[in-house]
Amino acid sequence: MSQLVTGIHHVTAISGGAQKNIDFYCGILGLRLVKKTVNFDAPDVYHFYYGNEMGNPGSILTFFPYEGIIAGRHGKGMLNTTTFSVPLASLDYWQQRLSKFNIAHKDPEERFDTDLVVYFEDPDGLGLELVFNDDDTRNGFTYGNIPIENSIRGFYNVEIWEEGYERTANLLTDQLDHKLIVEKGNRFRFAATNAPGNFVDILCTPDKLRGLAGGGTVHHIAFATPDAASQLEVRNRILKRMLNPTPVLDRNYFTSIYFREPGGVLFEVATAGPGFAVDEQKEHLGESLKLPQQYEPHRQEIEKSLATVKLDLNNYK
Ligand code: ZN
C-alpha cells in the first residue's frame, strides 16, 4: 500500500500580540509570512502562517495571536519544542544574531551524536531550537536581512512530551505510516519520510507536570497526506482506532481532519495542496488579509476587530 502520511505539514501555536509575533518570526528568524488570514472557527482572531518561500509542508509554523493572553505551561501531553533546520556553518551567525536581539539561548548541545542544537524561546515562551546540520537539501528564503546561506530551511523535528511513549508511538507507526528512526535515553525519533522536516521526537517524561494551553504553547500538529482520497483513508484508520476524527474541513489552502492522540496532543492530517498560492500570487504571499469565502461579506467588521500589523524589517538587519 502506498504511503498515506508523508511527514509533517504544519505546527500551530498560540501567541500574544500580533505585531510582536510578526516581528519575531519574519524580522529575527527571517521566515516568510506566507499567509495572513483569520481563524476560520473564530474570525476575530488572526491566523498567521510562516514558512519557507512557498510555505511548503514541513516548514509551516502558524499562530493564533491573542493580545494579552495568559501564558500556558510546557508539559506532558503537549508539543513543546519546534526545531528549525539551518546549515552547520551558520552556528556562529545564529548565536550572534540571537544575542544581538537579546534572545536568551542555551549553549549548543549534541543530540543522537549527529544533531547540534541550540534552544531558545519566542517572546511568548514557545519552545524553539535551531539544529545545525548539512543533511538538509531544501532551499532557504530571505527578505534580504539574513544571508540566504544562513537562512532557515524549514522544520527539522518537533518534540512531544508524553507520560509514556508507547500508545502515541503505536498510533504513529500503525495508522500514520511512521517508522522508528533512532532512540536514545528517553527520546524516540519517528518519521514518515526519513529526512529533515519530518522527524517527530517523542520524549518519555513521566515526572513532568501536564502542559497547560495558553500563550507560548502549541495548539496542534498537522501531518501531511497527498490528497483528498488518501485523507479519507487515514480518516478510516483513525475511526477504526476509535479516536473520533472530525469530518473533513475545508481550510482553503488544504483540507483537514483532527483527532486527539492518546497522550493528549491534538493531531491534524492535512492535504499537501492546493497550497498558499491559491488566492495570492506567489510573489505577494502574505501581503493582504485573505478571508475564506464565507467571511468575505463581513470583511469590514472583521478588519475592524483585528489589530493593524505591518511587516517592517528595517529594525532587523
Ligand atoms: Zn492546523
Side-chain angles (χ1 to χ4, degrees):
M1 190 190 296
S2 66
Q3 221 178 326
L4 300 183
V5 173
T6 53
I8 297 174
H9 191 287
H10 64 267
V11 171
T12 292
I14 301 164
S15 79
Q19 185 64 53
K20 209 163 61 168
N21 188 251
I22 288 186
D23 287 347
F24 184 83
Y25 286 95
C26 295
I28 296 174
L29 295 189
L31 296 177
R32 185 176 190 192
L33 178 64
V34 292
K35 195 61 62 184
K36 187 165 62 179
T37 181
V38 293
N39 182 339
F40 286 15
D41 303 320
D44 56 339
V45 178
Y46 274 122
H47 194 181
F48 297 148
Y49 290 76
Y50 304 99
N52 63 7
E53 188 163 17
M54 289 304 294
N56 297 120
S59 79
I60 313 158
L61 181 57
T62 94
F63 288 91
F64 300 130
Y66 295 85
E67 196 73 48
I69 193 169
I70 292 172
R73 179 177 73 200
H74 298 179
K76 282 185 297 200
M78 198 174 257
L79 192 163
N80 292 300
T81 309
T82 303
T83 303
F84 291 105
S85 177
V86 286
L88 186 58
S90 68
L91 178 63
D92 290 346
Y93 174 86
W94 278 106
Q95 286 180 298
Q96 285 166 19
R97 186 167 179 83
L98 294 176
S99 297
K100 180 172 160 183
F101 293 104
N102 297 314
I103 297 157
H105 52 280
K106 292 190 182 171
D107 288 334
E109 217 174 275
E110 264 193 30
R111 178 174 296 154
F112 292 134
D113 307 320
T114 48
D115 307 352
L116 193 61
V117 297
V118 170
Y119 179 88
F120 59 105
E121 293 178 350
D122 84 355
D124 296 298
L126 189 77
L128 300 171
E129 287 172 333
L130 291 171
V131 58
F132 297 88
N133 73 99
D134 283 334
D135 308 329
D136 199 331
T137 54
R138 294 173 292 177
N139 293 325
F141 164 78
T142 182
Y143 283 109
N145 287 350
I146 294 174
I148 190 139
E149 66 269 21
N150 295 336
S151 65
I152 288 175
R153 272 33 182 176
F155 295 149
Y156 190 82
N157 69 281
V158 295
E159 181 180 300
I160 295 171
W161 296 3
E162 299 283 13
E163 171 82 33
Y165 85 101
E166 294 86 355
R167 289 179 307 165
T168 309
N170 290 344
L171 173 67
L172 285 172
T173 56
D174 297 352
Q175 277 78 34
L176 299 177
D177 292 337
H178 281 60
K179 288 193 175 72
L180 180 67
I181 303 289
V182 57
E183 62 175 275
K184 191 172 186 184
N186 67 338
R187 183 182 293 268
F188 301 81
R189 173 164 291 176
F190 297 85
T193 301
N194 190 354
N198 299 301
F199 302 128
V200 179
D201 291 4
I202 308 292
L203 259 64
C204 222
T205 58
D207 299 336
K208 300 281 187 188
L209 294 172
R210 283 199 73 78
L212 289 176
T217 64
V218 165
H219 187 267
H220 64 265
I221 173 174
F223 296 93
T225 191
D227 53 35
S230 58
Q231 185 171 53
L232 283 178
E233 281 190 65
V234 181
R235 187 170 183 279
N236 279 332
R237 289 183 183 174
I238 301 304
L239 274 173
K240 280 188 193 142
R241 205 183 158 112
M242 316 271 277
L243 288 177
N244 199 22
T246 65
V248 174
L249 299 171
D250 185 2
R251 298 320 197 183
N252 248 8
Y253 313 107
F254 42 85
T255 62
S256 299
I257 59 167
Y258 302 83
F259 53 96
R260 212 166 277 282
E261 59 88 21
V265 181
L266 187 60
F267 277 11
E268 173 183 348
V269 175
T271 52
F276 297 106
V278 74
D279 60 358
E280 263 174 322
Q281 298 279 320
K282 70 176 190 206
E283 296 79 17
H284 297 288
L285 291 181
E287 288 179 8
S288 50
L289 179 69
K290 290 293 165 189
L291 298 177
Q293 226 176 358
Q294 68 268 31
Y295 293 135
E296 267 307 339
H298 310 290
R299 176 175 280 272
Q300 262 193 331
E301 302 123 76
I302 289 172
E303 284 184 348
K304 238 187 262 169
S305 70
L306 296 167
T308 310
V309 290
K310 61 177 199 269
L311 183 61
D312 181 358
L313 303 169
N314 287 322
N315 298 324
Y316 298 99
K317 291 197 163 68

